Amino acid sequence: QVQLVESGGGLVQAGGSLRLSCAASRSIFSINQMAWYRQAPGKQRELVAFITKSGYTNRADSVKGRFAISRDNAKNTVYLQMNSLKPEDTGVYYCNAFEPAWTPNDYWGQGTQVTVSS
């Protein structure tokens, strides 16, 4: 089990950048997968990007070429670098830790708001 705390959200102009941080309460070295999700107003939460313990990454088509997920195991932190932000990127961004051996098998942070103005 793990506690996750997101930070780094805020208001940014279209075309700008933000870096979100997800600080974990324990080592993330052995966690199967860390991910970022987001939820826009009136929409369902969606996967933005994930990174596995082996370092494999992937991201949603809508953010390819603009967002990148990374981890710093020494700092127990996962990052989401967001560049070329668009108004449609607006939403609450959540950090998620997934491990099939856990019960429950995933944990969520409280979320951080990202607002992109036109």
Side-chain angles (χ1 to χ4, degrees):
Q1 58 182 258
V2 62
Q3 288 76 53
L4 306 170
V5 180
E6 302 95 333
S7 62
L11 176 65
V12 65
Q13 226 177 11
S17 299
L18 286 173
R19 188 178 76 163
L20 306 184
S21 297
C22 172
S25 63
R26 52 153 285 177
S27 174
I28 61 172
F29 176 78
S30 61
I31 296 176
N32 185 268
Q33 179 181 286
M34 301 294 295
W36 285 96
Y37 288 73
R38 68 185 179 188
Q39 188 165 20
K43 295 185 178 182
Q44 194 168 1
R45 190 173 301 183
E46 65 175 352
L47 176 68
V48 176
F50 69 85
I51 183 168
T52 70
K53 63 181 180 181
S54 68
Y56 173 77
T57 63
N58 206 350
R59 75 246 102 222
D61 288 342
S62 60
V63 305
K64 286 182 178 177
R66 301 189 298 119
F67 291 11
I69 189 170
S70 62
R71 70 166 79 201
D72 187 333
N73 290 332
K75 296 181 178 180
N76 296 335
T77 301
V78 177
Y79 302 97
L80 183 67
Q81 180 66 48
M82 306 186 295
N83 300 322
S84 301
L85 283 161
K86 304 175 180 179
E88 51 262 45
D89 294 320
T90 293
V92 179
Y93 284 68
Y94 298 91
C95 185
N96 173 269
F98 174 77
E99 174 53 64
W102 293 346
T103 302
N105 60 203
D106 63 354
Y107 289 83
W108 297 89
Q110 83 287 356
T112 185
Q113 176 70 43
V114 172
T115 303
V116 184
S117 62
S118 299

